[in-house]
């Protein structure tokens, strides 16, 4: 197989994260071809050139359409702000490229639907960047649930909290505009929803409350402006098989930095996980003598693949960026036709459908079934 | 002030816990009269005599009405199963006794209302046994919130979980009968609700989902019987001041033994607490350099009164039973007319009203406002 | 058996702790006679009367010899400062009383030897107040080790840290005088040594380093005075069976409040415990699949006797003072001739012998074998 | 500055780790030239070619001397087994290359001295791979200590534990041969010693005990062979300024996977850190009201540079391999003459000198001063 030619649109944090993954995937995994980093696009030409040099791309452009027109490009990483995803992803797919697009697909559901249609029409691989599912700990949790280690799951709680919006006197910026979305729901809840989807499938019914901790925020130019969306969202959910779940997302949660806390309760045990300590999880199994039962803290280890591709010794820890390398490897596997663990545009659309249903449920103050 | 004469009805765990408190309150606090343990009632006469000897009571009876008729009894501890609370508490109040009744007041709301009416008519002190609010850690949390240490509170999460119903093959017993109540809601949720009340006042609106992890359970005599109520309950709530809260209660949560996990988010910081580690809490304050901000783990210490009445050194730890001694002291203070921190029948009725509203919300699948 | 008549000398914290235990032991355990609290001694007559009222003792005296002469007293609790232990304990034993003396026995080893001689001569029960061994968690740890749950133990670490001497500008007081002892070694290390003794027997060889974090301290009256002993001590030790151990004690350890952290390593597993979280311990067993091995956090539960005598539900937590009630129960059992788990004067003398050997090792900068 | 030409000798885990760092350093940091991966050496020619392809090197050789003779190579990564370090590092330095050699320098102290001499003679940069000091958390700890955040440090404890030698029935292999070194001391203790050196400078005096948990181990071919070195080592130490320290290292510590637990006590506060949770540390400062003092858990954040070069959001976590990228960046800075944070051969030799003194102290059962 000839090396994949890579194009990268966008060079913010996620762009850098993709670049790191494309640079590392061969060294880490060995079992794929080393990708050829061909073309990088960034709106500012000077910055584009600088980033191409930093990220190891052969050429740079200020016009992303150049990149898509480049025949040496086989895969396009789309890491621009969400509003640009539809146009870029669709153009890439129509040009016969595979697409690796950061989540969420699009602010508007209709646009996300168009993205899926384009993916289907193209026959190319179209993957969303939901990297938390790539954590070897999450794979181990999925495997444990699959083999019945905690019996039949009946209840789940998931919390996603950060505090970058927690200061009421931080200046108003676009994340508080309604145009940017519902708030925590789009910005955040899609991550835990990707984990629920990965482990248990899709959400079937929801009822939502949303929280607006601060009614307004100061403007840099003086005065204050009303906050238009909600920094917090709490959702009661039903999943398949009668599983009840509670989702709590809050981007104004002082002290939480990257918390995605998952609690899974089954008929024979429980599992707890927190992304802030992404190299461990807790497993309780109702086995053996009662006097010695307890939650077992399991540290990441080579037995939890593909941790072993990064480090041969247990307890040394992967980092957040390593998850992107794993995702990149899965994407390459998908392109080569091998079985892979990815979030396709189909899956992603369903996740976003739940988000819109949650918002509707809040506004209508009632349970919404998701078809 | 002459010593209070104490009557105790019921000698199960809570009866023993009351007895320990009555025996210890003077030694711990010094500032009250040593109570006189006068009369103990327990349905079985032999057991009554045995327990009177164990618990240090002067006399025993198999007929709790004897105890209430005893002029030497000033305060009656009611620790019998919930269904007996109304009759006993009302009789005691009508006989001019103060009453210390274990929570909840009564399975039926109408009965709880009658208890409150009797308390009002009597002019006596009528207190419910919600001892978690007596934890010095909880007092400190209340004081911190009161002085604005975490700013204006906007969001709360509280989880109460145990696992005594988690085994699906445990025999059916009365806790799974509808006659015993809604399940986790009555059995459990009143505890975290007492904490919410203590810290923030009453609940104003709710929407509930309930979880029945196991549809039936084996019978000792063979065969299986349908489970009639719900081991889990999840509630979205609104409190005064627009605070949003989420309550999760689960008595089938493998691995959780006495968890009451509270997370409180404010405009300047956060607080986290877990009853399984009742001698500590975490405080985050958005102060000082960002590079050193973090949750501070605060261990129980003499500065957190009345910990100092038990132990003069920090970090040594109170136990669950000690909370009852503090509650007992507050009760004596209330009787003597001093300011005290107790859950009166008024407060308790309101807590139970919310529980019934939660259940209604589940059955009607809609938000319920609590008048 | 007629009720034991109790005398209590000293009414500081430990005196109160003994009083609480004598008041509660019958209610908690049921299987002993309720002790009769007869006589209390405290140097100041007025305070003695006040404390007798608070603690529930029949009579009070300012002369502890009155108490020892009281024929109604069967057991004497000695809770005075260490320097008074020998005279009081010996007098009590010579008067035919059982003795429950707080640790350590005496500042001078020769005095401790006399106490043991008096105990032997009397034939009475003479017990030291090393209550940490009474924690049901510690009993469970001992049981686990005994049944081989972690295989053959080969290495132990124990840390005891508090911070009451950590402030360098705190006024000089008697604990910094050489006359009060070596410092952390006597003041502290005896507690972890009692745990090592309880679990593994006595120390056989030691080498010690001691730490004096602050050379002098301010005097209340102005000026400064040299600190004469050592707030920290670190000891390498050998126990029987070739077990290596490390003991670290520090009373100037900022942030540590009541830490006694124990790590036990064996050929099949490990155990970790910290007194600051006295209702839990961690157990690692090298069993089952590697991918699910981890430290299990075990919460105190009724299966860990005698937790069940206090609380019938798991995870609710005992307090520090509850350990004294268990110790009191063991003492009563010892008096009645039943098997019991106590630290006798024999055991205590051996513990103190190790402490003196540790100090000698520091001064001579060499390993000391303990005969 | 022209790109550095890189040579890599050895392609085991550390070789891969170096390769990852060389591939990523430019993308992560931006402020250096992208290195040119020129030449890779691995004893087996076929494997060498395979690894060169995987790791992105231009050419491969089975003879490391080819690599050193390659004029395109400016820096040589030496990641072979310890016994080969001296010959390779010295040859590289003599050929005018910079050297990045994995720790420790050499099994024999005399060889390490020769390496230092070669480094001095060459005038080239010679760095050892002690990557734990590169953790942004460790830099923050150093900065805090430097600015007096915990006052004057007086006591330190450091534990390094893993369990890869914990199974007594694991087959005998070369790590149990005396020829491989003292055991835990060389294999392990150098890591915590690098942290102590980084934070506080060198060790001045030591006394050591060593632990051999298992006297023999099974041989694959049947029978058993005596274990020749020690899986555990415990050391009392004195550092400059009268700081006392305790070092404990154990490679047979069941349940510990990558623990390097550091406790630092000062006159105004304390710091605690554990490598198993490398993205956080605990800081206690004796400031403010006593009722709110506690250990603050600080999560890795952009404020802790160079975390910000990897991730712009707090709490997302670096991995073990990321530390090597930081080390690589420091090495490039050193080569370019910029200030850098590295462990030079001078520093490394001093660390190894302490290790040998510790072993001597064990064998002579006495304190050893390190000149």
């Amino acid at each position: 197989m000839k090396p994949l030619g890579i194009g990268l649109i966008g060079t913010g944090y996620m762009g850098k994260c993709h670049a790191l993954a494309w640079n590392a995937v061969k060294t880490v995994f060995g079992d794929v071809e080393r990708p050829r980093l061909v073309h990088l696009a960034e709106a500012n030409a000077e910055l584009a050139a600088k980033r191409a040099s930093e990220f190891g791309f052969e050429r740079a452009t200020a016009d992303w359409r150049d990149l898509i027109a480049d025949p040496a490009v086989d895969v396009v990483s789309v890491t621009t702000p969400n509003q640009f995803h539809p146009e870029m992803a669709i153009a890439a797919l129509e040009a016969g490229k595979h697409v690796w697009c950061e989540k969420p697909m699009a602010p508007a559901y209709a646009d996300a639907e168009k993205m899926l249609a384009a993916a289907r029409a193209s026959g190319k691989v179209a993957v969303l960047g939901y990297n938390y599912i790539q954590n070897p700990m999450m794979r181990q949790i999925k495997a444990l649930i699959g083999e019945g280690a905690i019996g039949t799951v009946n209840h789940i709680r998931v919390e996603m909290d950060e505090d970058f919006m927690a200061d009421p006197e931080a200046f108003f910026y676009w994340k508080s505009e309604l145009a940017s979305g519902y708030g925590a729901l789009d910005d955040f809840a899609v991550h835990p929803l990707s984990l629920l989807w990965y482990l248990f499938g899709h959400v079937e019914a929801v009822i939502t409350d949303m929280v607006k901790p601060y009614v307004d925020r100061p403007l840099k130019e003086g005065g204050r402006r009303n906050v238009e969306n909600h920094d917090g969202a709490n959702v009661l959910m039903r999943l398949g098989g009668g599983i009840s779940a509670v989702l709590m997302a809050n981007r104004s949660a002082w002290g939480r930095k990257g918390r995605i806390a998952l609690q899974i309760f089954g008929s024979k045990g429980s599992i707890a996980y927190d992304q802030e300590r992404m190299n461990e999880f807790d497993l309780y199994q109702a086995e053996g003598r009662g006097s010695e039962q307890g939650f077992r803290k399991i540290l990441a280890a080579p037995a939890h693949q593909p941790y072993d591709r990064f480090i041969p010794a247990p307890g040394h820890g992967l980092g957040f960026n390593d998850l992107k390398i794993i995702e990149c490897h899965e994407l390459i596997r998908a392109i080569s036709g091998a079985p892979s663990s990815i979030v396709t545009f189909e899956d992603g659309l369903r996740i976003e459908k739940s988000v819109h249903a949650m918002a509707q449920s809040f506004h209508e103050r009632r349970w919404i079934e998701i078809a």
Side-chain angles (χ1 to χ4, degrees), chain A:
Chain A
M1 187 174 151
K2 92 168 185 23
L4 287 170
I6 310 303
L8 169 66
I9 313 180
T11 63
Y13 170 45
M14 272 300 124
K16 184 173 185 171
C17 200
H18 279 233
L20 283 166
W22 288 120
N23 270 286
V25 65
K26 169 68 173 175
T27 306
V28 170
F29 285 94
D31 63 357
V32 295
E33 287 298 306
R34 177 169 287 265
R36 182 180 152 212
L37 310 197
V38 176
H39 215 139
L40 177 148
E42 172 59 57
N44 176 293
E46 202 174 343
L47 183 59
K50 183 168 185 296
R51 290 283 182 257
S53 157
E54 286 172 17
F55 295 177
F57 280 77
E58 296 173 13
R59 45 188 177 271
T61 177
D63 182 351
W64 60 271
R65 294 188 182 276
D66 293 346
L67 182 153
I68 282 173
D70 186 338
V73 169
D74 301 304
V75 187
V76 179
S77 280
V78 179
T79 71
T80 48
N82 303 345
Q83 68 210 73
F84 301 113
H85 292 178
E87 186 178 16
M88 292 171 175
I90 291 168
L93 289 162
E94 287 177 352
K97 318 295 191 191
H98 305 289
V99 169
W100 185 13
C101 180
E102 275 309 300
K103 64 87 225 169
M105 297 173 82
Y109 186 69
D111 286 334
E113 284 182 312
K114 285 178 198 157
M115 291 169 75
L116 174 55
R120 283 181 174 155
S122 74
K124 294 291 166 179
V125 173
V127 166
L128 291 163
Y130 279 108
N131 44 301
Y132 291 115
I133 69 163
Q134 304 295 350
N135 188 338
M137 300 281 87
M138 205 50 65
R139 290 196 184 180
Q140 185 66 15
I141 290 170
K142 185 176 171 70
L144 285 167
I145 292 168
E147 72 182 40
I150 60 167
T152 303
V153 170
N154 53 63
H155 180 50
I156 303 159
R157 297 176 194 156
V158 60
E159 301 169 81
M160 177 157 187
D161 301 307
E162 299 194 7
D163 66 2
F164 62 92
M165 304 283 277
D167 183 353
E169 293 309 309
F171 288 122
F172 188 100
Y173 78 124
W174 62 269
K175 284 222 173 193
S176 290
E177 290 181 38
L178 194 53
S180 79
Y182 308 116
L185 262 192
D186 329 55
D187 204 24
F188 258 37
V190 290
H191 278 303
L193 285 173
S194 74
L195 295 180
L196 290 187
W197 163 79
Y198 175 68
L199 297 172
F200 305 105
H202 286 294
V203 176
E204 300 189 346
V206 295
I207 184 154
T208 304
D209 193 19
M210 309 227 294
V211 189
K212 187 184 286 185
Y214 315 122
V215 291
D216 57 24
R217 288 183 175 277
L219 291 163
K220 281 190 186 158
E221 58 271 30
R224 301 183 75 86
R225 178 170 164 186
N226 281 349
V227 170
E228 296 169 3
N229 54 20
H230 293 82
D231 289 346
N234 306 302
V235 189
L236 306 183
M237 300 188 298
R238 287 298 179 112
L239 278 64
I243 298 176
S244 84
V246 184
L247 167 70
M248 294 152 277
N250 189 347
R251 58 189 191 184
S252 290
W254 273 124
R256 304 304 187 192
K257 307 301 181 182
R259 178 171 168 90
I260 305 181
L262 187 58
Q263 296 177 71
I264 304 167
F265 299 100
S267 59
K268 294 184 179 169
S270 300
I271 288 173
Y273 169 83
D274 183 352
Q275 180 68 26
E276 284 184 357
R277 287 175 170 168
M278 60 175 272
N279 288 289
E280 60 190 60
F281 70 97
D282 291 323
L283 171 65
Y284 185 97
Q285 290 179 290
E287 292 174 359
R289 293 192 300 198
S291 53
E292 278 94 63
Q293 288 180 10
F295 276 95
R296 239 176 300 155
K297 187 160 293 299
I298 298 167
L299 296 185
H304 311 121
Q305 292 175 359
Y307 176 98
D308 62 313
R309 300 311 306 159
F310 292 83
I311 309 169
H316 284 61
L318 299 189
F320 178 84
N321 290 344
D322 292 330
L323 304 186
K324 211 72 193 175
I325 303 175
I326 302 174
E327 191 176 69
C328 184
H329 185 245
E330 294 294 326
L331 168 65
I332 296 174
R333 287 175 58 83
I335 289 170
S336 75
S340 65
S341 180
I342 50 173
V343 179
T344 65
F345 279 19
E346 268 88 357
D347 304 318
L349 189 70
R350 179 66 194 246
I351 289 172
E352 294 182 32
K353 191 175 189 181
S354 348
V355 167
H356 294 289
M358 288 171 188
Q360 183 189 358
S361 159
F362 170 63
H363 290 296
E364 301 181 3
R365 286 175 63 77
R366 65 177 182 89
W367 281 92
I368 300 281
E369 311 287 326
I370 305 172

